[in-house]
Amino acid sequence: MKRAYMRSLTFLVFSGILKVCELCPSVRASRATKFVAEGGSLQLSCEVQHCGLSGWTGGWVFQESDSLKFTSLIPSERIGTSNSSSTANSTHLSLHIHNINQSDAGAYKCSINWPQKITSSGHVTYVNVTAAAADSSGRSLSHRVLLCFGALMCFSVVLGFVWCLTRDRHPPPPPVPPRTSFAAGAKPKKELVYAEVAMNKSRRQNDPPKQASEPTVYSSVRFS
């Protein structure tokens, strides 16, 4: 039991020593690739795990796209660096670049020199500078003016069209029902017309008149 306990305790102590050795001293940074538009800004950060050690130096280094060597970044009007201690064992190094141009494209990383003449570097961040975005302020203003003008014109046209439709337009009077005439609507009665044609013998001037005999009807004409 004692031997097993001693072995487990030794293993834990050895693991702790290895973990401390891995963290101190070291530089922690994420590997990434960033695309920044020309004229924009860039912000990077890394964490230096020094575990309370002093005397370390270094900071951000930069490698151009067509170069094989990293050079230290010198602060300027466009490039700014800052250090902030988050805990007693670590310090954050920040990098700010304003108004980026094509010369800022390349690789960035943190490089730290320890007192034991040991150098530690964080992961590399690759920065690609793209073409500058088109200035949308003037374009958006012109678009707004055109939209307002078009809306005003459409409103004027619609208002004039409605006015033309409603001008001097009154509802027509109700239609007058046609007058009906019973006399006009009544059908005429059919009348029977008879015609009699009678032929008498001519008589002499001196002959006395004779009693007229009944006329002979030869035809009858009917009109409808």
Side-chain angles (χ1 to χ4, degrees), residues 72-209:
S72 298
L73 285 174
I74 300 175
S76 62
E77 295 181 356
R78 294 193 312 109
I79 301 174
T81 59
S82 61
N83 301 344
S84 61
S85 297
S86 57
T87 63
N89 297 326
S90 64
T91 300
H92 283 277
L93 304 182
S94 299
L95 174 66
H96 303 271
I97 302 178
H98 304 282
N99 194 16
I100 282 184
N101 51 47
Q102 294 294 334
S103 63
D104 297 321
Y108 294 82
K109 70 176 181 178
C110 290
S111 180
I112 304 300
N113 299 319
W114 304 103
Q116 298 84 1
K117 296 183 179 180
I118 300 174
T119 302
S120 299
S121 299
H123 289 298
V124 177
T125 299
Y126 297 94
V127 176
N128 297 321
V129 180
T130 60
D135 186 10
S136 60
S137 58
R139 184 176 299 178
S140 61
L141 179 60
S142 61
H143 285 179
R144 291 177 182 177
V145 172
L146 289 177
L147 287 177
C148 293
F149 181 74
L152 182 61
M153 291 298 296
C154 291
F155 179 75
S156 302
V157 171
V158 172
L159 187 62
F161 183 71
V162 173
W163 180 79
C164 291
L165 290 179
T166 57
R167 186 186 62 174
D168 297 337
R169 293 292 298 274
H170 301 284
V176 179
R179 296 179 180 179
T180 57
S181 176
F182 295 99
K187 296 181 179 180
K189 296 181 179 180
K190 298 181 179 181
E191 297 181 357
L192 300 178
V193 179
Y194 298 91
E196 295 182 355
V197 179
M199 297 182 64
N200 298 329
K201 295 181 178 180
S202 62
R203 52 185 181 177
R204 297 179 179 178
Q205 184 177 6
N206 295 325
D207 292 342

Side-chain angles (χ1 to χ4, degrees), residues 193-199 215-222:
V193 179
Y194 298 91
E196 295 182 355
V197 179
M199 297 182 64
T216 303
V217 178
Y218 292 94
S219 64
S220 63
V221 181
R222 180 181 299 175

